[in-house]
Amino acid sequence: MSEQQKPKKPKIPRQKMPEQNPIERAHNFYEVALGYDNDLALLEASRCLHCKKPYCMAGCPVEVDIPDFVEMVKKGDFIGAAWKVKEKNSLPRIAGRVCPQESQCESKCVLGKKGEPCAIGRLERFVADYAAVHGEGKTPELPKPTGLRVGVVGSGPAGLTLAGALIKKGVAVTVFEALHELGGVLVYGIPEFRLPKAIVKSEVDELRKLGVEFKTNWVVGRIETVDDLLEKAKFDGVFIGTGAGAPLFLKIPGENLNGVYSANEFLTRANLMKAYLFPQSDTPTAKGRRVVVFGGGNVAMDSARSALRLGAEEVTIVYRRTMEELPARAEEVHHAVEEGIKFQLLTAPTEIIGNETGWAVGVHCQKMVLGEPDNSGRRRPMPTDEFFDIECDTVIVSIGNGANPLVPSTTKNLETNKWGNIVADLETGKTSKDRVWAGGDIVTGAATVILAMGAGRKAALSMLDTFGIK
Amino acid sequence: MFEILEKERIGPGVNRAVIFAPEIARAHKPGQFIILRTHADGERIPLTIADKDADKGTITLVWQEVGVTTYYMGTMCVGDKLQDLCGPLGKPTHIEKFGTVVGIGGGIGVAPLFPITKGMHDAGNHVITIVGARTEGLLIMTEDMRKVSDELLIATDDGSFGIHGFVTQVLQSLIDKGTKIDLCVAIGPVPMMRAVVKVTKAANLPTVVSLNPIMVDGTGMCGACRVEVGGKTMFGCVDGPEFDGHEVDFELLMKRLAMYKGPELIALNKFRETDRGCQCTFPGGA
């Protein structure tokens, strides 16, 4: 036998996420991404180099032990892997779905230097879903109660993460939520087809099992103030995670016409209030034929894709810059394009045109060109003298959210900045007020779910440190 | 869950219920409202709190059956529970001793006017209350109002009870008589509030109105309740519900209130076809 050359180990490509076909999914609210199966997960995990110096971990706001959990996936210990993730991340089913991994952990992956990075987010989602479906094995042993109690204002990603981190250290947690459902932006904002409500509910239920107490329909600032929580209810600390819940408008003529929505309202009707089931559910929403969305972020993509699923014939995103500058995640833009969302780029709306009964019938637009880079480093859109109209019956304004003033304005000695955001140390979440921490969008302005989760985790560590708990 | 402790029909399609909600009862101040949901697939609707008893831990709601939720509530009985009750929401009424305060309530608007009238009366104001309705059968809470008013004037459009005419005519005659008025508070159907403001603007009388735009969350998050006041866009839920009547764009408010007329009718017709909950006071009954 002649010398045989050792066959080269075939290079395994990054495993694609199975998805619902775009034509079908554009008309339903079921989840777009279907998740890995065991084989795909094993294959993808086998790509991980288990680096000694895991750069990926440095890219994770909650510092998940990525190489370790991926190693456990390689060995087929999916439940063990899920627990490894949960040591740092109380909401892995959510993070695995909505984190912008491409700009976090995966952006640091060594494999990404020459090829495609390991699909860490997809693996995180896989193990968390696997554990939820196949049983957790064990529930973590909780330490003896310390007797300390923390009140959390808002049940969004920051508050839930903090609650999970504290309860595991024996600190009692009560979460106050203004809406009737728990999860904040995870249930009113992010659509069912990206993050099913059942997933959020399962994560919340897990926290409840650990002993976290939840109070819905409870508006802090109205029923009780933060000062009441500290002085009367005797909480040892309060965390404010109320999010960026005040929709911004362009302040152009016609914005109060019928058929014009903030993205928050449109998404709240469609998600939280299940308007897509109307009239089985009682809340209606616009079933626009021709829908125009202002803005280019993830929320704009969510609004556009929801409108399409509600039955719109044509959905157009109007954005001032080009495809390159869209602030939305590449994956969301890609999905939107696949589903047939139109992009009217280098365009700024100047007026919404109404009819005599007060309904929107079109948008007056101005063509833009890109000028010199501005403070954000992106090229600034400059107006031209070219104008045109887009016919429509529904307009969704998705240009961002300001800080909801209710809690800051009813709390004594709590410092806010000129935008109304609470001033807090980004490393500890400490505010200007003793025993009060804050984190998430109410501090940073509208950002991502995982950054809010990171802020919740940091604030929890700071609280534990303050309380003298290791 | 929030249990209904008392429930009665106080007019055609108009109901009053006392509901156990101790935290809301304790925190409530005049002018504030709640958002409720009757069941898991229900919509969120705002209703102004008509009264409260902090000791008993109850609030009183008064509503007219107009849409699917208010009709559904009409079928609910003592012992039934509301799925969700969130509040108190909105800015409380600014109450102080102004001097003479004229409260003007039209139709169902008398209910939200009641706690404000009581508050103004308790603050030492001379309170003149004008209560109006289309016809005698639609007058509500007149005896409650009498207890917290120094003067109570009742008017019906058809003259079936009290003064024959509109509340605006009663107000105009007060002004014409030279009554010294320091503040007007008007709550009722939008055309009524608009008509009152027309009168008080001419007489240069400061006027507070309480608006009822369509809301979803009620905490400033969605912006469904946009109203224009003094040319500026405000949120009814957190900037209001009370605003300077002279500055409110009532035309816009009316148009926006009509935004869901079509779907509202679809939902109501579907409700009428289904047998949802107890129907002891279903329209046509009681």
Side-chain angles (χ1 to χ4, degrees):
Chain A
M1 247 167 91
S2 62
E3 268 189 30
Q4 232 180 354
Q5 231 182 333
K6 207 177 164 193
K8 223 180 181 180
K9 201 177 165 192
K11 213 174 162 195
I12 301 164
R14 179 174 157 110
Q15 297 303 300
K16 284 211 173 75
M17 178 75 115
E19 285 172 354
Q20 259 200 85
N21 139 349
I23 296 165
E24 235 166 76
R25 73 179 191 237
H27 304 287
N28 71 49
F29 273 85
Y30 300 121
E31 208 175 357
V32 169
L34 302 171
Y36 280 165
D37 58 18
N38 297 11
D39 293 343
L40 283 174
L42 288 167
L43 210 54
E44 183 59 39
S46 73
R47 299 179 65 230
C48 173
L49 301 174
H50 204 265
C51 305
K52 273 206 184 112
K53 216 174 163 194
Y55 292 105
C56 51
M57 275 180 75
C60 176
V62 295
E63 296 156 347
V64 166
D65 296 313
I66 295 165
D68 286 359
F69 105 75
V70 177
E71 192 64 21
M72 293 168 101
V73 177
K74 273 187 207 172
K75 291 177 182 150
D77 179 8
F78 302 144
I79 290 191
W83 278 110
K84 194 78 207 155
V85 174
K86 285 185 199 184
E87 281 175 16
K88 297 286 176 63
N89 183 348
S90 295
L91 313 168
R93 300 188 82 189
I94 295 167
R97 284 170 168 80
V98 301
C99 265
Q101 292 101 6
E102 67 279 3
S103 59
Q104 293 173 338
C105 51
E106 294 179 13
S107 74
K108 309 270 161 107
C109 176
V110 173
L111 286 178
K113 285 190 178 154
K114 284 196 174 159
E116 287 199 280
C118 180
I120 300 164
R122 293 170 189 173
L123 289 172
E124 179 184 40
R125 169 184 163 145
F126 168 76
V127 298
D129 282 357
Y130 186 93
V133 174
H134 294 86
E136 303 287 344
K138 49 171 187 177
T139 37
E141 259 181 56
L142 292 180
K144 265 196 189 146
T146 56
L148 292 158
R149 295 163 63 241
V150 165
V152 177
V153 188
S155 70
L160 292 180
T161 301
L162 174 115
L166 292 180
I167 200 91
K168 286 175 193 163
K169 295 287 182 183
V171 177
V173 184
T174 306
V175 180
F176 301 97
E177 168 55 50
L179 289 171
H180 58 263
E181 247 179 64
L182 296 162
V185 72
L186 305 171
V187 293
Y188 77 73
I190 300 178
E192 184 74 14
F193 57 85
R194 275 218 293 137
L195 179 64
K197 305 291 156 292
I199 301 278
V200 180
K201 193 173 176 296
S202 82
E203 302 272 52
V204 168
D205 284 346
E206 205 154 301
L207 292 174
R208 212 192 298 265
K209 261 192 258 164
L210 295 175
V212 176
E213 188 188 2
F214 290 99
K215 284 183 184 287
T216 50
N217 296 311
W218 198 288
V219 184
V220 172
R222 288 283 179 234
I223 286 193
E224 281 170 320
T225 63
V226 168
D227 292 282
D228 290 336
L229 294 180
L230 292 167
E231 306 310 325
K232 290 188 194 157
K234 302 279 179 210
F235 280 101
D236 297 287
V238 169
F239 175 78
I240 304 170
T242 47
L248 301 176
F249 288 88
L250 283 167
K251 297 193 193 309
I252 58 174
E255 258 180 330
N256 293 335
L257 287 164
N258 286 356
V260 182
Y261 291 82
S262 75
N264 277 4
E265 181 189 355
F266 187 76
L267 292 172
T268 299
R269 286 177 178 273
N271 291 311
L272 179 72
M273 305 310 297
K274 296 177 275 194
Y276 59 93
L277 298 176
F278 180 85
Q280 271 65 52
S281 66
D282 290 337
T283 305
T285 192
K287 286 200 173 165
R289 203 170 59 78
R290 304 186 69 173
V291 180
V292 169
V293 180
F294 299 165
N298 287 324
V299 178
M301 300 304 138
D302 285 345
S303 301
R305 296 171 69 199
S306 294
L308 195 67
R309 283 159 172 78
L310 283 163
E313 287 166 21
E314 186 179 279
V315 183
T316 308
I317 284 182
V318 170
Y319 179 59
R320 298 186 305 162
R321 295 179 164 101
T322 71
M323 248 11 204
E324 309 300 307
E325 289 88 10
L326 279 174
R329 286 182 71 188
E331 185 182 319
E332 304 307 327
V333 177
H334 169 72
H335 280 151
V337 171
E338 270 189 343
E339 288 165 13
I341 305 289
K342 290 188 174 173
F343 287 80
Q344 181 65 54
L345 302 162
L346 287 169
T347 301
T350 57
E351 183 180 352
I352 302 166
I353 308 155
N355 65 13
E356 62 290 343
T357 54
W359 282 82
V361 292
V363 180
H364 197 47
C365 297
Q366 185 169 26
K367 277 302 260 184
M368 312 296 275
V369 288
L370 288 185
E372 293 300 307
D374 62 13
N375 295 338
S376 71
R378 297 176 302 174
R379 291 177 66 193
R380 187 197 301 272
M382 310 284 286
T384 68
D385 49 14
E386 195 185 325
F387 290 87
F388 65 99
D389 293 344
I390 306 174
E391 200 189 301
C392 68
D393 47 45
T394 304
V395 174
I396 303 168
V397 182
S398 178
I399 57 160
N401 287 294
N404 190 316
L406 185 56
V407 171
S409 69
T410 53
T411 308
K412 285 181 212 147
N413 307 320
L414 185 66
E415 200 188 325
T416 53
N417 66 18
K418 64 176 168 176
W419 298 285
N421 294 108
I422 296 174
V423 176
D425 186 305
L426 289 180
E427 286 312 307
T428 63
K430 278 187 179 163
T431 68
S432 60
K433 189 178 174 74
D434 194 31
R435 291 189 291 152
V436 176
W437 284 256
D441 284 1
I442 188 64
V443 171
T444 57
T448 61
V449 168
I450 189 68
L451 283 176
M453 288 167 59
R457 185 173 153 75
K458 283 176 183 164
L461 294 175
S462 167
M463 279 185 173
L464 292 170
D465 188 47
T466 304
F467 297 154
I469 301 169
K470 290 229 168 100
Chain B
M1 298 287 256
F2 302 86
E3 191 176 348
I4 298 174
L5 303 179
E6 289 173 36
K7 154 101 189 282
E8 62 174 332
R9 185 153 280 230
I10 57 172
V14 182
N15 303 279
R16 174 184 162 277
V18 175
I19 295 158
F20 188 64
E23 286 90 7
I24 299 175
R26 201 170 55 226
H28 163 261
K29 294 187 184 75
Q32 290 185 306
F33 64 94
I34 52 89
I35 293 239
L36 66 83
R37 229 164 50 115
T38 49
H39 61 289
D41 286 326
E43 58 181 345
R44 293 170 66 94
I45 65 155
L47 281 178
T48 308
I49 298 170
D51 203 0
K52 61 117 178 271
D53 186 327
D55 295 333
K56 288 185 184 156
T58 61
I59 62 166
T60 301
L61 298 178
V62 172
W63 70 95
Q64 186 163 24
E65 292 162 2
V66 285
V68 63
T69 302
T70 44
Y71 267 107
Y72 183 67
M73 286 171 68
T75 70
M76 295 181 87
C77 304
V78 170
D80 285 348
K81 288 169 182 148
L82 296 171
Q83 174 96 20
D84 297 292
L85 194 59
C86 177
L89 298 168
K91 287 186 179 159
T93 310
H94 175 68
I95 289 178
E96 62 168 68
K97 191 171 176 187
F98 293 98
T100 298
V101 175
V102 177
I104 305 136
I108 194 78
V110 177
L113 185 62
F114 176 70
I116 300 169
T117 310
K118 199 170 164 187
M120 290 293 185
H121 190 256
D122 291 347
N125 289 290
H126 180 78
V127 176
I128 305 171
T129 304
I130 306 170
V131 165
R134 239 174 33 242
T135 185
E136 181 182 3
L138 294 172
L139 285 167
I140 59 165
M141 295 177 76
T142 44
E143 286 319 300
D144 297 309
M145 276 299 199
R146 197 180 301 282
K147 288 177 200 150
V148 294
S149 308
D150 296 283
E151 295 173 54
L152 178 71
L153 304 164
I154 301 171
T156 50
D157 298 0
D158 64 358
S160 53
F161 190 89
I163 305 159
H164 188 173
F166 298 125
V167 287
T168 41
Q169 292 167 312
V170 181
L171 175 64
Q172 189 64 57
S173 62
L174 279 181
I175 295 167
D176 293 345
K177 269 196 299 190
T179 312
K180 189 188 146 297
I181 300 171
D182 298 287
L183 179 73
C184 292
V185 182
I187 309 180
V190 180
M192 184 215 92
M193 291 193 285
R194 186 177 51 183
V196 166
V197 163
K198 214 171 159 195
V199 170
T200 61
K201 228 175 184 172
N204 202 19
L205 294 177
T207 306
V208 171
V209 292
S210 179
L211 306 185
N212 58 336
I214 293 171
M215 292 183 189
V216 186
D217 72 293
T219 62
M221 185 270 281
C222 84
C225 59
R226 303 199 291 290
V227 291
E228 278 182 29
V229 184
K232 275 170 73 179
T233 296
M234 307 268 218
F235 289 0
C237 66
V238 285
D239 298 320
E242 291 174 11
F243 293 99
D244 176 352
H246 294 177
E247 300 288 335
V248 170
D249 183 340
F250 289 106
E251 303 301 320
L252 179 75
L253 178 63
M254 289 226 269
K255 282 178 180 165
R256 287 188 65 83
L257 281 168
M259 185 156 160
Y260 291 100
K261 260 194 173 154
E264 277 165 5
L265 197 63
I266 293 171
L268 191 56
N269 285 338
K270 183 186 153 272
F271 165 74
R272 284 176 162 146
E273 283 164 14
T274 52
D275 178 20
R276 217 157 61 161
C278 155
Q279 306 212 342
C280 62
T281 58
F282 193 67

